[in-house]
């Protein structure tokens, strides 16, 4: 841990417990996510990694029976304080979901929606500019620049997911959460998204939940291993994959369970 | 062997099931066909009207017109006697009884038909023109072939003398069938040949419009609130159950409510489309809320999450994304709810929309009939002319329903967007 202190912690989770009704889904999660890095969360299905991810932008708030205790600090500010404006929070913490979910609108409108509700663009030119840069950052511009006004749902799965990434970065967040962004995609589209994630980390802090250990190894700098609602081990990706401290991590990584 | 037998049985069961299905569909189609055939075979003749050609001389002396430019004089001239005298001349009669029988072949409106013609053609003063006069109901039905001639005279509505007149007129080419524009332009009348469902159509349109204006915004707001914002607790469960129950309440109960509250407490005008529309909107409300909620529920959560994740507030998420996506289903539910309201009779009877209204309603505040009530009213009348008009009104009502249901299908297909 001393080694890592040189890097700046963007998100600090302190003793996060999550309950769905009577069932406890997360047990005292403490972890740090560093700025401008890709942090991967791995673990078997149902281990709570997605639940934790959704705590970072308070997406769990929409689930009535979900109760969360503990603190998550973003830039040393606890987002679970009672007076926090979740709209402001989500402006800062974008999210990309497992299944591509573009709005059933044109490609242009998909990107322009976020900036327009936050009043980011002053006029049409500025909006065009935001749409273009967002799509460029998401490596989709060249493929769609001639059909910006066609429906976003008409794109291929991989393109749709990149459209969702472009949508997330259009409002210029600081953190992007990705919930198994490639699980619905073919290997070629996956490779493209992974490449994209790598290039995005210079401007954003990225947290990615993934089922694929090879993906975690390829894209992330740090990895956290979840099992049954607990964070078993967290550290440098290289260390986690080559020489984990915990035997359970070792077993999972070598494919003995999960 | 056993296996072989079982497979054979399975195929047979499949075949048998298909046969049952085909029989059921054929039966259903047969009954629908029967209904449509009956309605059309009875109703199509209502769309034509029998006219009698009569040469009329607009004799200034007889009319009592001294100055053709004097509007008052032309308006109040005696067209009744003018037409009467010239019409009975068309056939020899020997006594008053026969004279009466002759004039009874014309619809009592002849006075106004002559007047209306003359008001627009004043230059015909003292000239002779051949005018078409609407024949009486009995004459009309005789010409359409709806009255059998071979039954004894005392059981016929037309005497032998009148039949002879008909035969002679027919020979002289004095009888003509024209399109019955009265059917669309007139209100109710005691004389079948002069009755139309124009008033009923207007009444129905006003009623449905009011029903739409009241029920759609309320139902949509209720559905959005219940589905998207309301906390899930005992109270909202109770509301949901009651909405479902309300949709199953017999419509006449809503009529009683309209009578008790709208007419007696608020003292709104009786027999009007306004009250009819409000009453029907009470009935339509749950029938729109239910499909609207179903369509809201069908919007995938991924769309909501996508909007929330870019920082849209709950209200923005609902109104920018969820409601537009739920619109096709909501609209088609609304149109089908309105189509049901259009065919509703019982509540309208209770709030007095069953009155005999001759005038066309000019606004929802005027007394008026509506199409289903018109069917009810005419179906009670004995005259053969009303029988065909009843069927014609049913045709009209069915036409409206088909148009509305097609609109519902169109709305669903046109505005439906695909999502993943």
């Amino acid at each position: 841990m001393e080694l890592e202190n040189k890097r700046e912690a963007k998100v600090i989770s302190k003793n996060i417990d999550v309950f769905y009704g009577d069932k406890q889904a997360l047990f005292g999660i403490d972890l740090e996510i560093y700025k401008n890095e890709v942090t991967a969360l791995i673990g078997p299905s149902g281990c709570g990694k997605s639940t934790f991810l959704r705590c970072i932008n308070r997406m769990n708030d929409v689930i009535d029976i979900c109760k969360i205790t503990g603190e998550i600090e973003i830039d040393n500010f606890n987002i679970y304080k009672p007076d926090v404006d979740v709209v402001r929070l989500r402006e800062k913490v974008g999210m990309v979901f497992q299944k591509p979910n573009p709005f059933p609108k044109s490609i242009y409108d998909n990107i322009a929606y976020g900036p327009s509700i936050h009043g980011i663009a002053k006029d049409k030119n500025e909006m065009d500019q935001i749409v273009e840069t967002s799509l460029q950052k998401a490596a989709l511009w060249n493929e769609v620049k001639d059909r910006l006004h066609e429906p976003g749902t008409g794109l291929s799965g991989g393109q749709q997911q990149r459209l969702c990434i472009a949508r997330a970065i259009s409002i210029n967040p600081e953190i992007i959460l990705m919930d198994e962004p490639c699980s619905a995609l073919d290997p070629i589209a996956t490779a493209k998204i992974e490449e994209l994630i790598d290039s995005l980390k210079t401007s954003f802090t990225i947290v990615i939940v993934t089922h694929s250990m090879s993906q975690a190894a390829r894209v992330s700098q740090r990895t956290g291993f979840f099992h049954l609602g607990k964070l078993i081990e967290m550290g440098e990706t290289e260390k986690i994959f080559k020489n984990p401290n915990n035997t359970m991590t070792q077993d999972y990584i070598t494919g003995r369970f999960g | 062997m056993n296996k072989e037998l079982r497979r054979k049985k399975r195929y047979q069961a499949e075949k048998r099931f298909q046969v049952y299905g085909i029989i059921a569909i054929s039966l259903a189609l047969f009954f629908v066909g029967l209904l449509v055939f009956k309605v059309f075979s009875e109703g199509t003749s209502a769309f034509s009207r029998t006219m009698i050609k009569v040469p009329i001389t607009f004799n200034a002396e007889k009319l009592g017109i001294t100055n053709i430019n004097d509007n008052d004089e032309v308006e109040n001239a005696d067209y009744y006697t003018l037409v009467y005298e010239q019409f009975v001349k068309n056939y020899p009669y020997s006594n008053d009884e026969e004279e009466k029988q002759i004039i009874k072949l014309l619809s009592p409106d002849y006075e106004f038909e002559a007047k209306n013609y003359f008001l627009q053609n004043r230059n015909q003063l003292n000239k002779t023109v051949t005018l078409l006069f609407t024949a009486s109901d009995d004459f009309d039905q005789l010409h359409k072939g709806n009255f059998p001639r071979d039954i004894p005279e005392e059981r016929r509505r037309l005497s032998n003398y009148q039949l002879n007149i008909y035969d002679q007129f027919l020979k002289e080419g004095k009888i003509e069938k024209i399109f019955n524009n009265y059917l669309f332009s007139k209100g109710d009348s005691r004389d079948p040949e002069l009755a139309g469902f124009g008033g009923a159509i207007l009444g129905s349109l006003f009623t449905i419009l009011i029903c739409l204006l009241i029920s759609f915004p309320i139902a949509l707001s209720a559905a959005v609130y219940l589905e998207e914002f309301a906390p899930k607790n005992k109270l909202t469960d109770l509301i949901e159950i009651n909405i479902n129950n309300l949709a199953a309440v017999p419509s006449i109960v809503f009529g009683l409510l309209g009578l008790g509250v709208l007419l007696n407490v608020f003292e709104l005008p009786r027999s009007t489309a306004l009250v009819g529309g409000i009453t029907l909107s009470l009935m339509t409300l749950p029938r729109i809320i239910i499909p609207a909620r179903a369509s809201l529920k069908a919007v995938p959560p991924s769309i909501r999450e996508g909007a929330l994740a870019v920082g849209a507030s709950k209200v923005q998420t609902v109104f920018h994304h969820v409601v537009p996506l739920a619109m096709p289903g909501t609209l088609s539910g609304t149109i089908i709810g309105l189509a049901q309201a259009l065919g509703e009779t019982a509540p309208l009877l209770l709030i007095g929309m069953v009155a005999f209204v001759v005038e066309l309603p000019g606004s929802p505040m005027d007394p008026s009939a509506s199409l289903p009530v018109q069917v009810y009213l005419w179906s009670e009348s004995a005259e053969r002319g009303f029988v065909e008009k009843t069927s014609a009104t049913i045709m009209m009502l069915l036409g409206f329903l088909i148009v509305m249901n097609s609109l519902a299908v169109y709305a669903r297909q046109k505005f439906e967007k695909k999502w993943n």
Side-chain angles (χ1 to χ4, degrees), chain B residues 5-18:
Chain B
L5 203 73
R6 279 180 62 162
R7 198 164 64 199
K8 225 173 140 187
K9 266 192 165 166
R10 244 164 52 194
Y11 282 131
Q12 279 172 347
E14 220 164 275
K15 267 231 171 77
R16 216 162 40 233
F17 181 73
Q18 277 190 6

Side-chain angles (χ1 to χ4, degrees), chain A residues 54 59 62 64 87 90-91 93-95 97 99-105 113-114 117-118 153 160 167 171, chain B residues 230-232 301-314 316-317 320-321 325 417-420:
Chain A
R54 294 164 63 95
M59 212 55 180
V62 293
D64 283 338
V87 167
R90 288 177 192 149
E91 226 180 304
V93 186
M95 188 159 189
F97 297 87
K99 239 178 91 185
N101 59 346
F103 302 134
K105 299 181 174 192
Y113 180 69
I117 58 171
H118 297 299
T153 41
Q160 285 189 13
R167 182 175 73 190
I171 51 173
Chain B
K232 302 273 173 284
S302 68
I303 298 289
R304 292 166 224 256
E305 284 186 331
L308 289 173
V310 291
S313 66
K314 179 88 189 164
Q316 285 172 328
T317 304
H320 294 168
H321 298 281
L325 287 176
K417 286 179 177 172
K418 288 202 174 70
W419 59 70
N420 288 38

Side-chain angles (χ1 to χ4, degrees), chain A residues 165-217:
Chain A
I165 294 175
R167 182 175 73 190
I169 61 188
S170 66
I171 51 173
N172 219 2
E174 293 165 22
I175 303 166
I176 299 175
L177 309 175
M178 297 185 175
D179 190 355
E180 298 182 34
C182 302
S183 64
L185 304 181
D186 63 59
I188 295 167
T190 302
K192 273 191 182 161
I193 302 258
E194 286 178 5
E195 214 173 286
L196 173 62
I197 291 170
D198 204 50
S199 71
L200 288 175
K201 74 170 192 280
T202 52
S203 1
F204 308 97
T205 304
I206 294 170
V207 188
I208 177 170
V209 162
T210 176
H211 258 117
S212 149
M213 279 170 283
S214 56
Q215 184 173 63

Side-chain angles (χ1 to χ4, degrees), chain B residues 284-357:
Chain B
T284 314
L285 263 177
R287 294 180 185 178
I288 302 181
I289 293 178
I290 292 168
R293 287 190 67 176
S295 347
L296 287 168
K297 212 175 264 174
V299 175
S302 68
I303 298 289
R304 292 166 224 256
E305 284 186 331
L308 289 173
V310 291
S313 66
K314 179 88 189 164
V315 173
Q316 285 172 328
T317 304
V318 169
F319 286 99
H320 294 168
H321 298 281
V322 181
V323 172
L325 287 176
M327 243 346 151
T330 309
L331 279 183
S332 70
T334 305
I335 296 169
I336 287 168
L338 287 179
Q340 284 176 332
L342 179 71
E344 206 52 71
T345 324
L348 300 184
L349 298 183
L350 284 180
I351 55 114
M353 271 182 96
V354 67
F356 175 78
V357 185

